[in-house]
Amino acid sequence: KQYALLAVQSMPTSLKYVSNNLKDDKDVVLAAINTEDSEGVLEYASSRLRDDYDLVYKAVSVDALNLEFASDRLRDDKTIVMAALKKFGGVLEDASERLQKDPELIKLAAENS
């Protein structure tokens, strides 16, 4: 775990290469997310963690492009989607179909494109 933490802190996408157990370790995934270049890191997290509200909220708040890899349930969560849209409006396409039609979110996406 210590080596994985060091690896993901220096290169977040190295999460792709750690064991499945570590991809399901919240500390390891958060270490990857908390780095400056965490674009798409959520893709390599376990499905359980891609459905973890706090972790996904943090991931999209750091880099909106992580929304694409959140669980379907969380891509349909307005608070999660709003957090992502505040960073980059272009990720509205990664929200659920229902939220893509939400006038408030459409406006927010346009403001942050």
Side-chain angles (χ1 to χ4, degrees):
K1 182 174 175 174
Q2 291 175 335
Y3 293 116
L5 285 168
L6 290 171
V8 300
Q9 287 169 342
S10 64
M11 184 182 210
T13 56
S14 64
L15 183 63
K16 176 180 184 176
Y17 302 106
V18 303
S19 70
N20 289 336
N21 286 343
L22 292 174
K23 289 177 184 176
D24 192 49
D25 186 301
K26 196 169 185 174
D27 294 334
V28 173
V29 175
L30 279 172
I33 288 168
N34 284 326
T35 60
E36 193 170 306
D37 187 28
S38 65
E39 177 183 324
V41 165
L42 199 56
E43 174 182 10
Y44 307 115
S46 68
S47 57
R48 179 183 74 85
L49 291 180
R50 285 184 276 147
D51 193 51
D52 180 292
Y53 184 91
D54 294 330
L55 186 135
V56 171
Y57 185 86
K58 174 69 175 172
V60 301
S61 295
V62 171
D63 193 308
L65 297 177
N66 282 307
L67 181 62
E68 176 183 358
F69 305 106
S71 67
D72 290 343
R73 177 181 76 88
L74 294 180
R75 291 187 350 213
D76 191 50
D77 182 280
K78 191 169 182 174
T79 303
I80 295 279
V81 173
M82 285 181 81
L85 292 175
K86 288 177 183 176
K87 296 295 277 186
F88 176 57
V91 296
L92 183 59
E93 68 186 22
D94 295 322
S96 67
E97 286 185 35
R98 178 183 74 85
L99 292 181
Q100 288 179 23
K101 298 172 186 170
D102 184 297
E104 182 182 7
L105 295 180
I106 292 169
K107 182 180 177 193
L108 185 61
E111 291 170 355
N112 294 302
S113 288

